[in-house]
Every structure is written in structure tokens, then in C-alpha cells.
Amino acid sequence: MTALDSVQDGSPVVKPGDTYSPGSARIFRLFGWIVLAIMTAYLLNNYLTYWQDLPGVAPIFGGAANGSLPILWSWLQLGLYAALALTALAYVLKNNSSLREDSIRIDRINAYLIRAVFFAVLIVGLVDSVISFLRVENLLPGIIGQELADDLGRSQFRGPYLHMPLIALSFVIAAFSRTLGFTWLALLVVVAELLIVIGRFVFSYEQAFLADLVRFWYAALFLFASAYTLKEEGHVRVDIFYAGLSVKAKGYVNAIGSVVLGMSLCTVILIVGMGGKQNIINSPILSYETTQALFGLYVKYLMAGFLGVFAVTMMIQFVAYFLDAVADIRGEPGGRDHDSHSIQ
């Protein structure tokens, strides 16, 4: 029986005769799930504070409030951290899963998120390109009317009323699709670049939105595939001693590295990028920032959000990586090289 089979049918992953006890791993499972709970609470509070104008938790600790709502809202926002942390605690205490099983579950959560954002950049990129082309050729008013065409020329309209519904649709599609999609996205980047070359040198036709589309897709390809690459051990490792280490020693290296290097990096990106209204991720998104190129794509603000998606998906994957590494240290059956232990 594989670790994946045990997740599907609910039977324990530990074989008879093993000395490993899943209950003894709760402290590590609790750490991993609480990290995810706190990150989720941070993202929700970021939305509530800077999109819904709630005061944030800063006033509780002597900081400046966002907006003019009473400090009671700050306590409610702080309570969100406690509520999600307690939810993680309840899950760990109620569910006697092994470290491998939890790692697989977290892998699947991350796989869904990655699928969703890949579909989002595909759909948004294609739709925005069509709109930009129609605007360049002055065909849009004849199709949808002058008023709506003018509205689509404003990022504050195109973002919330076109891009956001398309992103929501992408999350629905991702629930039914089993492909990660970065392979065909790489092909689309090549196709888009080829269209630029053919248009420029064959037809003497070049528009800013085509270059924007290549950058949009390439940035997504690079940043969104990072978590999957980490999971599949596809990243470049400068290996001097690691290959010769035992499974247990590799587990120590991976566990410590996941926390000290991986999770800490993701935390810094989220705090620096989303710690305030004018920070490098929040500011472009809140203003629906666009490029200065005339008739280019209106997706620059989404590209700023790519950094946040990168940090979130990498944080989730580092938690899964950490749990898998601790399982190696503790001698739990199964392992990173197991055929079924991959994101599908």
C-alpha cells in the first residue's frame, strides 16, 4: 500500500511491525499547519485592511490605524489569527495522520492553487490581448458600443469587472482540471514571441500588447512553476556533500533548510510586499497599475501580485517539504522518490 492509497482509503500508512507512531509526530504537524493558518490569516487581514478599509491589527500594538473605524475591528482582525490557529490545532488533534499523509494533502492544496493561477494568466492574457487588439484597430466601439469601449480603456474598470471574474472562473476550472499547465504555457510564450517576430519582419506590424503578453506569461511561468519544481526536486542544487548523505541526514538538511531559508524568505516577501498600502505588492494592485505603453495590456498590477503568489505557493510547498523531511528523519515509510508522491 502506498502513502497515496492510505490518504484515499483512510487506512494508516504505517505498516505492521513499524515502531513509528503517528501520534508522536503531532508537534511537527502542528507547526506546519499553524504556519499555513497564520499565513492565511495574514492574507485575509491584508484584504480586509486595504480593500475593505478596516483598521488592521497595528492599532493594538501602538501603530497607525487604516481608516477611521473603532479599534474593536482591530481586535476582531487579531482574533482571526487565533481562530485559524485553533482550527489548525483542532485538525491535528482530531486527525491522526502521518507526516507523509499531511505532506500529500498540502501538496494537493498547492497543486490546486497553482493550476488556478496558471488558468488565470492564460485566460486573462488572451482576453486582454483581444481587447487591446480591437482597441488598437478601433473595432471595439462597433462591437460593444462606445461607452463600454471607453470603460474598458480604464484599468479601474477592466481590473475589477473583467479580470477578477475571469480569475474567479479560473479557480472553478482548476477544480475540474488535473493538469498544472506550465508546459503548455511555455509553448504559448514561444508562440507569442514567434508572432511578434513574424508580425514585425513579415507584415511590419508591431503592437505593445504583444510584448506585454510575452512578459506576462513568462513571469507567470517562472514564478508559479517554482513550487512545483521544488516538489519534484527539479531545482538546481549545488551539491558537494548532499548526494552522499544518508536518508536521515538529508532529512535534517531539508527540514532545517525549509524553515531557516525557505519559510523565512517567503515571510520576508509577504511582509515587505504586503505590510502596508504603499508596499511593492499592495500599491500596484490597489491602483490597478498599468504600463505606460499606449494600448498595452492592463496587467501590470497582476504581475506585481505574482510575487505574492510566488511567496504563498512556496510557503505551502516548504511546509510540505518540511513534513516530508521530518518523516525521513523519523523513518516513516514512503519517501520523496515514491511514484505516487507527486502533485497531480
Side-chain angles (χ1 to χ4, degrees), residues 232-284:
E232 295 300 316
E233 294 277 11
H235 58 286
V236 176
R237 185 193 295 271
V238 180
D239 189 358
I240 300 177
F241 304 107
Y242 182 84
L245 298 177
S246 66
V247 172
K248 186 173 182 179
K250 289 180 180 179
Y252 277 111
V253 172
N254 292 332
I256 295 172
S258 295
V259 177
V260 176
L261 301 178
M263 296 182 196
S264 61
L265 172 64
C266 297
T267 301
V268 169
I269 293 174
L270 290 174
I271 292 175
V272 172
M274 307 176 73
K277 183 174 288 188
Q278 300 303 320
N279 288 41
I280 57 175
I281 295 177
N282 280 344
S283 179

Tab-separated table of all heavy atoms in Angstrom, residues 232-284:
chain	number	residue	atom	x	y	z
A	232	GLU	N	9.250	18.526	-7.061
A	232	GLU	CA	9.772	17.459	-7.912
A	232	GLU	C	11.299	17.392	-7.906
A	232	GLU	O	11.871	16.652	-8.699
A	232	GLU	CB	9.266	17.654	-9.343
A	232	GLU	CG	7.763	17.516	-9.481
A	232	GLU	CD	7.260	16.156	-9.055
A	232	GLU	OE1	7.893	15.141	-9.422
A	232	GLU	OE2	6.241	16.092	-8.343
A	233	GLU	N	11.952	18.141	-7.014
A	233	GLU	CA	13.417	18.173	-6.928
A	233	GLU	C	14.026	18.567	-8.279
A	233	GLU	O	15.082	18.076	-8.665
A	233	GLU	CB	13.958	16.800	-6.501
A	233	GLU	CG	13.573	16.385	-5.091
A	233	GLU	CD	14.499	16.975	-4.041
A	233	GLU	OE1	15.300	17.865	-4.390
A	233	GLU	OE2	14.422	16.539	-2.884
A	234	GLY	N	13.365	19.478	-8.979
A	234	GLY	CA	13.850	19.899	-10.282
A	234	GLY	C	14.713	21.143	-10.235
A	234	GLY	O	15.219	21.584	-11.266
A	235	HIS	N	14.878	21.735	-9.051
A	235	HIS	CA	15.691	22.932	-8.943
A	235	HIS	C	17.175	22.576	-9.019
A	235	HIS	O	17.564	21.428	-8.802
A	235	HIS	CB	15.399	23.647	-7.621
A	235	HIS	CG	15.634	22.794	-6.414
A	235	HIS	ND1	14.782	21.771	-6.052
A	235	HIS	CD2	16.629	22.783	-5.493
A	235	HIS	CE1	15.236	21.184	-4.958
A	235	HIS	NE2	16.356	21.770	-4.607
A	236	VAL	N	17.997	23.562	-9.333
A	236	VAL	CA	19.441	23.349	-9.416
A	236	VAL	C	20.010	23.328	-8.000
A	236	VAL	O	19.843	24.269	-7.235
A	236	VAL	CB	20.120	24.447	-10.249
A	236	VAL	CG1	21.635	24.250	-10.245
A	236	VAL	CG2	19.581	24.439	-11.668
A	237	ARG	N	20.657	22.244	-7.666
A	237	ARG	CA	21.270	22.110	-6.341
A	237	ARG	C	22.789	22.059	-6.494
A	237	ARG	O	23.317	21.207	-7.222
A	237	ARG	CB	20.783	20.824	-5.667
A	237	ARG	CG	21.268	20.659	-4.229
A	237	ARG	CD	21.032	19.240	-3.734
A	237	ARG	NE	19.620	18.919	-3.645
A	237	ARG	CZ	18.883	19.138	-2.560
A	237	ARG	NH1	19.416	19.701	-1.501
A	237	ARG	NH2	17.608	18.784	-2.555
A	238	VAL	N	23.460	23.010	-5.859
A	238	VAL	CA	24.918	22.974	-5.839
A	238	VAL	C	25.320	21.926	-4.803
A	238	VAL	O	25.330	22.181	-3.603
A	238	VAL	CB	25.514	24.351	-5.491
A	238	VAL	CG1	27.032	24.276	-5.490
A	238	VAL	CG2	25.031	25.399	-6.487
A	239	ASP	N	25.588	20.736	-5.292
A	239	ASP	CA	25.719	19.569	-4.420
A	239	ASP	C	27.187	19.167	-4.268
A	239	ASP	O	27.842	18.777	-5.230
A	239	ASP	CB	24.907	18.413	-5.008
A	239	ASP	CG	24.812	17.239	-4.055
A	239	ASP	OD1	25.413	17.319	-2.973
A	239	ASP	OD2	24.147	16.257	-4.402
A	240	ILE	N	27.686	19.294	-3.046
A	240	ILE	CA	29.041	18.833	-2.743
A	240	ILE	C	28.986	17.617	-1.827
A	240	ILE	O	29.653	16.612	-2.051
A	240	ILE	CB	29.862	19.955	-2.078
A	240	ILE	CG1	29.951	21.157	-3.026
A	240	ILE	CG2	31.252	19.456	-1.720
A	240	ILE	CD1	30.673	22.340	-2.431
A	241	PHE	N	28.138	17.695	-0.794
A	241	PHE	CA	28.060	16.616	0.176
A	241	PHE	C	26.699	15.914	0.192
A	241	PHE	O	26.598	14.773	0.623
A	241	PHE	CB	28.338	17.162	1.593
A	241	PHE	CG	29.652	17.874	1.721
A	241	PHE	CD1	29.706	19.247	1.838
A	241	PHE	CD2	30.844	17.169	1.703
A	241	PHE	CE1	30.909	19.917	1.946
A	241	PHE	CE2	32.053	17.823	1.823
A	241	PHE	CZ	32.088	19.208	1.935
A	242	TYR	N	25.653	16.602	-0.294
A	242	TYR	CA	24.283	16.128	-0.074
A	242	TYR	C	24.030	14.743	-0.660
A	242	TYR	O	23.416	13.886	-0.021
A	242	TYR	CB	23.300	17.132	-0.674
A	242	TYR	CG	21.847	16.793	-0.482
A	242	TYR	CD1	21.179	17.144	0.696
A	242	TYR	CD2	21.128	16.129	-1.473
A	242	TYR	CE1	19.841	16.841	0.882
A	242	TYR	CE2	19.795	15.821	-1.298
A	242	TYR	CZ	19.157	16.166	-0.134
A	242	TYR	OH	17.835	15.864	0.043
A	243	ALA	N	24.489	14.484	-1.883
A	243	ALA	CA	24.189	13.222	-2.556
A	243	ALA	C	24.717	12.020	-1.786
A	243	ALA	O	24.148	10.931	-1.853
A	243	ALA	CB	24.753	13.233	-3.974
A	244	GLY	N	25.790	12.205	-1.038
A	244	GLY	CA	26.374	11.094	-0.307
A	244	GLY	C	25.835	10.909	1.095
A	244	GLY	O	26.265	9.987	1.803
A	245	LEU	N	24.889	11.749	1.506
A	245	LEU	CA	24.344	11.645	2.857
A	245	LEU	C	23.311	10.539	2.949
A	245	LEU	O	22.698	10.139	1.954
A	245	LEU	CB	23.708	12.978	3.260
A	245	LEU	CG	24.624	14.201	3.340
A	245	LEU	CD1	23.806	15.440	3.682
A	245	LEU	CD2	25.728	13.982	4.370
A	246	SER	N	23.081	10.074	4.142
A	246	SER	CA	22.028	9.089	4.375
A	246	SER	C	20.665	9.758	4.280
A	246	SER	O	20.557	10.993	4.272
A	246	SER	CB	22.198	8.463	5.761
A	246	SER	OG	21.990	9.444	6.774
A	247	VAL	N	19.615	8.945	4.216
A	247	VAL	CA	18.260	9.489	4.130
A	247	VAL	C	17.960	10.352	5.349
A	247	VAL	O	17.369	11.438	5.230
A	247	VAL	CB	17.225	8.337	4.018
A	247	VAL	CG1	15.800	8.881	4.127
A	247	VAL	CG2	17.415	7.598	2.705
A	248	LYS	N	18.383	9.918	6.512
A	248	LYS	CA	18.129	10.676	7.735
A	248	LYS	C	18.873	12.009	7.712
A	248	LYS	O	18.324	13.052	8.089
A	248	LYS	CB	18.540	9.863	8.954
A	248	LYS	CG	18.177	10.505	10.284
A	248	LYS	CD	18.469	9.568	11.442
A	248	LYS	CE	18.050	10.193	12.773
A	248	LYS	NZ	18.311	9.259	13.905
A	249	ALA	N	20.137	11.988	7.277
A	249	ALA	CA	20.922	13.216	7.216
A	249	ALA	C	20.329	14.188	6.190
A	249	ALA	O	20.260	15.403	6.430
A	249	ALA	CB	22.373	12.888	6.869
A	250	LYS	N	19.873	13.650	5.050
A	250	LYS	CA	19.203	14.504	4.074
A	250	LYS	C	17.941	15.122	4.672
A	250	LYS	O	17.595	16.272	4.382
A	250	LYS	CB	18.848	13.701	2.827
A	250	LYS	CG	20.040	13.314	1.963
A	250	LYS	CD	19.589	12.519	0.750
A	250	LYS	CE	20.779	12.136	-0.129
A	250	LYS	NZ	20.363	11.341	-1.307
A	251	GLY	N	17.251	14.345	5.500
A	251	GLY	CA	16.058	14.860	6.153
A	251	GLY	C	16.374	16.062	7.031
A	251	GLY	O	15.636	17.053	7.031
A	252	TYR	N	17.457	15.986	7.786
A	252	TYR	CA	17.862	17.125	8.625
A	252	TYR	C	18.182	18.343	7.767
A	252	TYR	O	17.774	19.476	8.094
A	252	TYR	CB	19.081	16.744	9.465
A	252	TYR	CG	18.748	15.995	10.728
A	252	TYR	CD1	19.096	14.645	10.878
A	252	TYR	CD2	18.083	16.615	11.789
A	252	TYR	CE1	18.795	13.950	12.038
A	252	TYR	CE2	17.776	15.933	12.950
A	252	TYR	CZ	18.132	14.599	13.070
A	252	TYR	OH	17.823	13.912	14.217
A	253	VAL	N	18.921	18.142	6.681
A	253	VAL	CA	19.274	19.256	5.801
A	253	VAL	C	18.024	19.906	5.229
A	253	VAL	O	17.866	21.136	5.235
A	253	VAL	CB	20.201	18.780	4.662
A	253	VAL	CG1	20.404	19.892	3.633
A	253	VAL	CG2	21.541	18.322	5.208
A	254	ASN	N	17.099	19.079	4.740
A	254	ASN	CA	15.888	19.611	4.112
A	254	ASN	C	14.959	20.270	5.118
A	254	ASN	O	14.346	21.305	4.828
A	254	ASN	CB	15.149	18.488	3.384
A	254	ASN	CG	15.908	17.979	2.176
A	254	ASN	OD1	16.674	18.717	1.557
A	254	ASN	ND2	15.728	16.718	1.835
A	255	ALA	N	14.835	19.686	6.308
A	255	ALA	CA	13.949	20.258	7.325
A	255	ALA	C	14.461	21.613	7.802
A	255	ALA	O	13.704	22.596	7.877
A	255	ALA	CB	13.813	19.293	8.507
A	256	ILE	N	15.749	21.671	8.120
A	256	ILE	CA	16.331	22.932	8.598
A	256	ILE	C	16.317	23.977	7.477
A	256	ILE	O	15.975	25.142	7.695
A	256	ILE	CB	17.761	22.703	9.120
A	256	ILE	CG1	17.729	21.801	10.360
A	256	ILE	CG2	18.436	24.038	9.448
A	256	ILE	CD1	19.093	21.361	10.843
A	257	GLY	N	16.662	23.562	6.276
A	257	GLY	CA	16.661	24.495	5.160
A	257	GLY	C	15.277	25.034	4.851
A	257	GLY	O	15.117	26.216	4.517
A	258	SER	N	14.253	24.174	4.977
A	258	SER	CA	12.886	24.615	4.703
A	258	SER	C	12.461	25.727	5.651
A	258	SER	O	11.804	26.688	5.237
A	258	SER	CB	11.914	23.432	4.833
A	258	SER	OG	12.171	22.464	3.849
A	259	VAL	N	12.838	25.605	6.924
A	259	VAL	CA	12.432	26.601	7.917
A	259	VAL	C	13.321	27.836	7.868
A	259	VAL	O	12.840	28.975	7.754
A	259	VAL	CB	12.457	25.986	9.332
A	259	VAL	CG1	12.114	27.042	10.380
A	259	VAL	CG2	11.471	24.817	9.421
A	260	VAL	N	14.632	27.625	7.926
A	260	VAL	CA	15.569	28.741	8.069
A	260	VAL	C	15.713	29.545	6.772
A	260	VAL	O	15.784	30.783	6.812
A	260	VAL	CB	16.953	28.217	8.532
A	260	VAL	CG1	17.971	29.351	8.593
A	260	VAL	CG2	16.830	27.538	9.888
A	261	LEU	N	15.757	28.847	5.655
A	261	LEU	CA	15.948	29.539	4.382
A	261	LEU	C	14.640	29.746	3.624
A	261	LEU	O	14.359	30.844	3.156
A	261	LEU	CB	16.938	28.745	3.511
A	261	LEU	CG	18.335	28.527	4.101
A	261	LEU	CD1	19.184	27.687	3.162
A	261	LEU	CD2	19.016	29.853	4.379
A	262	GLY	N	13.833	28.691	3.513
A	262	GLY	CA	12.634	28.769	2.694
A	262	GLY	C	11.510	29.578	3.306
A	262	GLY	O	11.068	30.595	2.749
A	263	MET	N	11.014	29.152	4.465
A	263	MET	CA	9.886	29.842	5.089
A	263	MET	C	10.228	31.268	5.473
A	263	MET	O	9.393	32.171	5.376
A	263	MET	CB	9.401	29.061	6.315
A	263	MET	CG	8.856	27.688	6.000
A	263	MET	SD	8.242	26.849	7.486
A	263	MET	CE	8.152	25.157	6.896
A	264	SER	N	11.463	31.483	5.904
A	264	SER	CA	11.861	32.842	6.272
A	264	SER	C	11.864	33.769	5.054
A	264	SER	O	11.435	34.922	5.133
A	264	SER	CB	13.243	32.825	6.930
A	264	SER	OG	14.219	32.312	6.031
A	265	LEU	N	12.328	33.275	3.891
A	265	LEU	CA	12.317	34.078	2.672
A	265	LEU	C	10.889	34.446	2.278
A	265	LEU	O	10.595	35.599	1.953
A	265	LEU	CB	12.998	33.311	1.540
A	265	LEU	CG	12.885	33.948	0.138
A	265	LEU	CD1	13.603	35.297	0.103
A	265	LEU	CD2	13.441	33.010	-0.931
A	266	CYS	N	9.992	33.458	2.307
A	266	CYS	CA	8.596	33.721	1.943
A	266	CYS	C	7.960	34.721	2.902
A	266	CYS	O	7.181	35.592	2.484
A	266	CYS	CB	7.803	32.414	1.940
A	266	CYS	SG	8.378	31.221	0.708
A	267	THR	N	8.294	34.618	4.180
A	267	THR	CA	7.770	35.557	5.170
A	267	THR	C	8.236	36.977	4.883
A	267	THR	O	7.450	37.936	4.940
A	267	THR	CB	8.207	35.141	6.582
A	267	THR	OG1	7.725	33.815	6.862
A	267	THR	CG2	7.666	36.101	7.630
A	268	VAL	N	9.500	37.129	4.550
A	268	VAL	CA	10.046	38.456	4.238
A	268	VAL	C	9.339	39.043	3.017
A	268	VAL	O	8.964	40.228	2.999
A	268	VAL	CB	11.563	38.375	4.009
A	268	VAL	CG1	12.083	39.682	3.421
A	268	VAL	CG2	12.280	38.056	5.307
A	269	ILE	N	9.128	38.228	1.982
A	269	ILE	CA	8.457	38.726	0.772
A	269	ILE	C	7.048	39.207	1.095
A	269	ILE	O	6.627	40.286	0.654
A	269	ILE	CB	8.409	37.628	-0.303
A	269	ILE	CG1	9.816	37.310	-0.807
A	269	ILE	CG2	7.524	38.065	-1.478
A	269	ILE	CD1	9.875	36.138	-1.768
A	270	LEU	N	6.310	38.437	1.886
A	270	LEU	CA	4.934	38.806	2.215
A	270	LEU	C	4.874	40.059	3.089
A	270	LEU	O	4.019	40.924	2.895
A	270	LEU	CB	4.231	37.637	2.916
A	270	LEU	CG	3.938	36.419	2.035
A	270	LEU	CD1	3.378	35.276	2.865
A	270	LEU	CD2	2.975	36.781	0.913
A	271	ILE	N	5.787	40.174	4.050
A	271	ILE	CA	5.772	41.340	4.940
A	271	ILE	C	6.223	42.596	4.202
A	271	ILE	O	5.584	43.648	4.282
A	271	ILE	CB	6.665	41.082	6.174
A	271	ILE	CG1	6.039	40.000	7.054
A	271	ILE	CG2	6.854	42.366	6.977
A	271	ILE	CD1	6.890	39.596	8.233
A	272	VAL	N	7.322	42.474	3.452
A	272	VAL	CA	7.829	43.634	2.714
A	272	VAL	C	6.868	44.039	1.602
A	272	VAL	O	6.627	45.222	1.360
A	272	VAL	CB	9.232	43.346	2.144
A	272	VAL	CG1	9.677	44.469	1.222
A	272	VAL	CG2	10.236	43.155	3.271
A	273	GLY	N	6.282	43.061	0.935
A	273	GLY	CA	5.421	43.362	-0.190
A	273	GLY	C	4.009	43.764	0.180
A	273	GLY	O	3.362	44.520	-0.552
A	274	MET	N	3.503	43.285	1.346
A	274	MET	CA	2.107	43.495	1.692
A	274	MET	C	1.917	44.101	3.078
A	274	MET	O	0.806	44.105	3.604
A	274	MET	CB	1.351	42.163	1.599
A	274	MET	CG	1.525	41.460	0.268
A	274	MET	SD	0.750	39.825	0.175
A	274	MET	CE	-0.975	40.295	0.086
A	275	GLY	N	2.974	44.619	3.663
A	275	GLY	CA	2.888	45.151	5.016
A	275	GLY	C	2.217	46.504	5.133
A	275	GLY	O	1.939	46.967	6.233
A	276	GLY	N	1.947	47.155	4.027
A	276	GLY	CA	1.307	48.467	4.062
A	276	GLY	C	0.663	48.779	2.728
A	276	GLY	O	0.888	48.091	1.729
A	277	LYS	N	-0.133	49.830	2.690
A	277	LYS	CA	-0.864	50.177	1.476
A	277	LYS	C	0.077	50.572	0.347
A	277	LYS	O	-0.231	50.356	-0.833
A	277	LYS	CB	-1.847	51.313	1.765
A	277	LYS	CG	-2.709	51.711	0.583
A	277	LYS	CD	-3.748	52.738	0.966
A	277	LYS	CE	-4.845	52.118	1.831
A	277	LYS	NZ	-5.977	53.065	2.069
A	278	GLN	N	1.224	51.157	0.661
A	278	GLN	CA	2.148	51.612	-0.362
A	278	GLN	C	3.278	50.621	-0.633
A	278	GLN	O	4.235	50.959	-1.331
A	278	GLN	CB	2.742	52.968	0.044
A	278	GLN	CG	1.717	54.066	0.239
A	278	GLN	CD	0.875	54.294	-1.000
A	278	GLN	OE1	1.387	54.269	-2.120
A	278	GLN	NE2	-0.429	54.517	-0.814
A	279	ASN	N	3.192	49.432	-0.097
A	279	ASN	CA	4.253	48.454	-0.318
A	279	ASN	C	4.212	47.906	-1.739
A	279	ASN	O	3.222	48.065	-2.456
A	279	ASN	CB	4.155	47.331	0.704
A	279	ASN	CG	4.569	47.786	2.092
A	279	ASN	OD1	4.225	48.882	2.515
A	279	ASN	ND2	5.303	46.951	2.806
A	280	ILE	N	5.280	47.245	-2.140
A	280	ILE	CA	5.524	46.959	-3.557
A	280	ILE	C	4.510	46.001	-4.181
A	280	ILE	O	4.378	45.974	-5.415
A	280	ILE	CB	6.950	46.406	-3.764
A	280	ILE	CG1	7.174	45.149	-2.914
A	280	ILE	CG2	7.976	47.458	-3.434
A	280	ILE	CD1	8.509	44.492	-3.158
A	281	ILE	N	3.827	45.204	-3.404
A	281	ILE	CA	2.780	44.338	-3.949
A	281	ILE	C	1.423	45.009	-3.833
A	281	ILE	O	0.645	45.050	-4.797
A	281	ILE	CB	2.770	42.961	-3.247
A	281	ILE	CG1	4.072	42.206	-3.534
A	281	ILE	CG2	1.568	42.138	-3.699
A	281	ILE	CD1	4.173	40.866	-2.831
A	282	ASN	N	1.129	45.550	-2.677
A	282	ASN	CA	-0.194	46.158	-2.453
A	282	ASN	C	-0.446	47.383	-3.330
A	282	ASN	O	-1.534	47.545	-3.891
A	282	ASN	CB	-0.356	46.553	-0.987
A	282	ASN	CG	-0.720	45.372	-0.112
A	282	ASN	OD1	-1.145	44.329	-0.608
A	282	ASN	ND2	-0.571	45.528	1.187
A	283	SER	N	0.539	48.250	-3.433
A	283	SER	CA	0.332	49.521	-4.118
A	283	SER	C	-0.100	49.355	-5.579
A	283	SER	O	-1.099	49.944	-6.003
A	283	SER	CB	1.591	50.386	-4.034
A	283	SER	OG	1.414	51.610	-4.712
A	284	PRO	N	0.600	48.564	-6.391
A	284	PRO	CA	0.150	48.406	-7.784
A	284	PRO	C	-1.218	47.749	-7.896
A	284	PRO	O	-2.012	48.109	-8.769
A	284	PRO	CB	1.246	47.520	-8.406
A	284	PRO	CG	2.420	47.666	-7.519
A	284	PRO	CD	1.863	47.868	-6.146
